[in-house]
Amino acid sequence: MRTARNGDVELAYELVHDAPGHPMLLVGGNFTQMIHWPDEFLAALAARGFQAARFDNRDSGRSTHCADRPHYTLRDMAGDAVAVMDALGWPSAHVLGPSLGGMIGQVMAVHHPDRVRSLTSISAAPGWGLRFSRPRLRTLVGILALAARRPADRAAAVEQTVRMFRLLTTPRYPVDEAWLRDVTGRAYDIAHDRAAGMRQQAACKASGDRRAELARVVAPTLVVHGDRDPAQSLRAGRATAAAIPGARLRILPDVGHYIPPQLWPEILDELCDLLRAVDHTFDTMAE
């Protein structure tokens, strides 16, 4: 496993595709590790000419866990992502992230504009608080109740995650529970610090309302949001798109917080269409 450094934070990362292509940095969400990116999605990226890299955010997976360090913000996490790009030798890259990863990508596009070729912000918000997310009360209560529990062992952690995803998805697009049980078990074996995810959430909260600074984003931006997202309501997606000049908003009907694998191809096709609209040579650019 390769590592990059941002100050005293060490970041585990992996270059997914050896073949050259348009560089794509994948930024993970809260309580996830780089292994959570589905193989089918990574293959779809390669088929569209992207060379993807993924990494563990601070406080996840094999990267530094920050229990004994000062509080951090999304700007610090954006610096981590840039450090991974530096280690890869990428002057710039397309950036894609769901939830927390989308928010980190937003901050990268503001504070490191020369490093972000395009931004795909998925199931994310431009700030913290009920004015953006407006989660459904019943679902929120269920999520908070599950998050407050500390699983006793690996099996309990797997079951807790499955129950959480049932809250975050819709009957039309349920999560593949066999895949989820497998990846959750493997993630638990790598690291299972529940407090780490809460520190990541605290970074979002500490970063406040970012709508004003998002007006400075110049990267072509695709905002993707499910219209039944119980964690970050559609209001959050609309607010993100409204804050970023020229952003394209793609609303996914009957989709929750988790984007189902069968919709990834059309999302990536939408991104490629956006990139061709701003650069007609996109498909044939030599890297």
Side-chain angles (χ1 to χ4, degrees), residues 142 146-147 149-167 175 177-178 180-185 188 194:
L146 282 172
R149 298 175 186 171
R150 190 177 296 273
D153 53 25
R154 188 183 195 268
V158 170
E159 291 308 311
Q160 180 174 324
T161 300
V162 170
R163 291 178 63 188
M164 181 72 78
F165 268 73
R166 288 172 181 165
L167 291 172
V175 68
E177 293 192 2
L180 182 60
R181 291 176 189 278
D182 173 69
V183 73
T184 301
Y188 184 92
R194 292 290 298 176

Side-chain angles (χ1 to χ4, degrees), residues 259-278:
I259 305 301
Q262 55 265 52
L263 297 185
W264 277 114
E266 66 181 74
I267 292 170
L268 293 178
D269 288 344
E270 179 101 16
L271 173 61
C272 291
D273 180 69
L274 171 64
L275 296 176
R276 282 191 293 268
V278 298

Side-chain angles (χ1 to χ4, degrees), residues 165-235:
F165 268 73
R166 288 172 181 165
L167 291 172
L168 295 174
T169 55
T170 65
R172 182 178 177 183
Y173 295 111
V175 68
D176 179 343
E177 293 192 2
W179 168 81
L180 182 60
R181 291 176 189 278
D182 173 69
V183 73
T184 301
R186 289 188 286 119
Y188 184 92
D189 294 339
I190 293 170
H192 49 273
D193 177 6
R194 292 290 298 176
M198 302 308 293
R199 292 192 292 271
Q200 291 177 340
Q201 288 188 2
C204 294
K205 187 175 182 179
S207 300
D209 184 344
R210 294 175 285 99
R211 285 177 295 178
E213 69 175 28
L214 286 174
R216 307 205 305 267
V217 173
V218 295
T221 299
L222 176 63
V223 176
V224 180
H225 220 95
D227 69 356
R228 294 186 58 192
D229 188 333
Q232 298 282 4
S233 73
L234 181 55
R235 178 187 180 96

